[in-house]
Amino acid sequence: MSPSSPPVPTVLATVDLRLTQEVADTRERIALGGLFYLAGWLLIAANAPVYVRNPLLGALIAAAFVVLAALRFLRTTPLPVPEKQQRWLDQRWLIVYLTAGLWGAVLGWTLAEASFAPARTAALLCTIAYATAMAHTFSMRRGRALAGIALIYLPALFWLWRDPEQRINATAMTVYLIYVVLALIGSHAEYQRRLGIDSELRLQRDRYEELSRTDGLTGLDNRRHFSHVLDRLCTPGEGEETLSLLLMDIDHFKRINDEYGHAVGDACLVRFAERMRQQFPDADRYLARVGGEEFAVLLPGRDGPRAFRAAEDFRKSLAEDPLTLREGRLRMSVSIGVASLDPARQTGGDGLYRAADGALYRAKSEGRDRVCREPV
């Protein structure tokens, strides 16, 4: 059972779920990609004599790929706060862009420098592979993935189209780029569909969980969930040191149903629950409907006298300000039993509930419309 609070709007919840899933997918997909860029660079370096003459430059480029690859393996996960999640995604995309940009620079140099000729075919094949992987792996953000593909791919097109002898290769690479862009569009659409389905399944699960612990008429927590929370709050070493329980029973509720009908009786229960929320606004209080016309309030941090005063205030509110229904003002009263947690005299949640139930029975037997505490 959780404290009653305004529900989170469905649209906002969906946005948060989508962002959280995107973070998880990015975290899983980003890790290995950097190693393939490093492997591509080593393949070029092994087949390009220019690096034999300039090993320092080759080592610096390799070191840059190693650092960028290592950054991808940082397995941090941001807190589930949209601003922090977006900042985390921006940082990961920066790593992707730096890697793609470095590869584009290496590729441009490979195609521009004549001594790289033995490594050009390998460089172009790697470029095709990296652009394809970008389209499928990072399809979460279509615009960002397209920018990454451009950093990887456009240097090849620039240098191939400059060379009249490479027009066939330039045409083939251009056609393949069109395919990569179309693949990215399709992959992005598929990812968004899957994300929408996953978000809807999560929302359905959350709604089912909410329904499983909520009374359908009043919106308060139901008896089963109330019992679960009561046991948790009364668990030695884990629960509350100070805890009070109010059990409330609407007086002569059967008479309301008989005189006005069950529809009015249901409306009465709904208004009664609303009055409970108004009179017990504490963020940490727990409200439940535990029977037909029986309700419960758990007040962590309140001792017996404070709980008694809160119960008396509620009783007076109901007596002095009748519930307003569509049919008019309905005067009614309530009997309340109050008990406070005492591990020396009670055994867990059942013991506290029995104590409050005994106090409620005494309030009803003494004439109703009153608050009684357990014997102290």
Side-chain angles (χ1 to χ4, degrees), residues 248-251 293-294 334-336 357-370 372:
M248 306 189 293
D249 190 274
I250 300 175
D251 295 331
E293 65 272 13
E294 189 169 314
V334 64
S335 301
I336 306 176
D357 192 52
L360 173 61
Y361 178 81
R362 188 156 57 89
K364 293 164 67 175
S365 63
E366 291 180 2
R368 304 179 186 269
D369 190 20
R370 66 192 62 225
C372 287

Side-chain angles (χ1 to χ4, degrees), residues 50-341:
V50 68
Y51 292 114
V52 176
R53 299 193 300 269
N54 196 345
L56 178 59
L57 180 58
L60 289 176
I61 295 175
F65 276 118
V66 168
V67 171
L68 290 171
L71 290 175
R72 290 173 175 242
F73 280 92
L74 296 176
R75 307 292 285 175
T76 58
T77 302
L79 295 173
V81 177
E83 293 78 8
K84 294 183 181 296
Q85 290 176 321
Q86 187 59 58
R87 189 180 308 118
W88 185 92
L89 286 171
D90 292 341
Q91 293 169 353
R92 267 55 193 175
W93 273 104
L94 178 60
I95 296 171
V96 171
Y97 285 155
L98 290 174
T99 306
L102 180 58
W103 178 261
V106 168
L107 176 64
W109 188 21
T110 301
L111 296 176
E113 179 68 42
S115 57
F116 280 92
R120 285 175 178 170
T121 300
L124 290 174
L125 289 175
C126 287
T127 299
I128 290 173
Y130 300 154
T132 305
M134 179 75 72
H136 292 286
T137 304
F138 295 105
S139 58
M140 299 85 74
R141 299 287 180 99
R142 184 174 56 193
R144 292 191 176 192
L146 188 61
I149 291 172
L151 289 172
I152 294 170
Y153 210 93
L154 291 186
L157 292 183
F158 175 79
W159 289 105
L160 288 175
W161 281 108
R162 278 173 58 96
D163 187 352
E165 296 181 359
Q166 296 291 334
R167 293 297 168 82
I168 294 179
N169 290 334
T171 302
M173 291 288 288
T174 301
V175 171
Y176 191 80
L177 177 60
I178 296 174
Y179 161 77
V180 169
V181 173
L182 293 176
L184 169 61
I185 294 173
S187 183
H188 174 74
E190 179 61 29
Y191 181 81
Q192 292 299 318
R193 281 194 294 270
R194 182 178 67 82
L195 207 59
I197 293 173
D198 290 344
S199 297
E200 183 60 30
L201 288 175
R202 286 192 182 92
L203 288 174
Q204 289 180 1
R205 180 198 63 193
D206 293 342
R207 283 195 291 264
Y208 176 79
E209 181 180 347
E210 179 72 18
L211 290 174
S212 70
R213 64 181 181 83
T214 303
D215 175 63
L217 178 63
T218 64
L220 302 180
D221 293 310
N222 58 27
R223 176 63 180 267
R224 184 177 69 86
H225 196 60
F226 163 80
S227 298
H228 171 74
V229 174
L230 179 61
D231 289 339
R232 177 173 60 82
L233 293 178
C234 292
T235 300
E238 298 182 12
E240 297 286 335
E241 293 184 1
T242 305
L243 174 67
S244 293
L245 168 63
L246 280 56
L247 282 183
M248 306 189 293
D249 190 274
I250 300 175
D251 295 331
H252 307 296
F253 185 74
K254 184 177 182 301
R255 183 186 305 166
I256 296 175
N257 278 330
D258 293 341
E259 292 184 8
Y260 300 99
H262 289 280
V264 174
D266 287 347
C268 175
L269 295 175
V270 172
R271 296 294 182 268
F272 187 88
E274 292 175 354
R275 182 66 61 85
M276 288 176 64
R277 294 187 183 95
Q278 295 171 4
Q279 290 295 121
F280 301 98
D282 311 64
D284 59 346
R285 54 87 173 107
Y286 299 88
L287 310 179
R289 182 187 179 195
V290 295
E293 65 272 13
E294 189 169 314
F295 296 81
V297 181
L298 276 169
L299 297 173
R302 293 204 192 185
D303 56 16
R306 293 179 61 199
F308 182 88
R309 287 194 297 271
E312 182 63 21
D313 289 342
F314 180 81
R315 186 196 66 80
K316 289 180 179 179
S317 166
L318 205 61
E320 297 170 358
D321 183 15
L323 299 180
T324 302
L325 307 181
R326 185 177 59 183
E327 292 76 9
R329 306 271 281 179
L330 179 63
R331 291 194 172 276
M332 56 186 301
S333 62
V334 64
S335 301
I336 306 176
V338 181
S340 299
L341 182 63

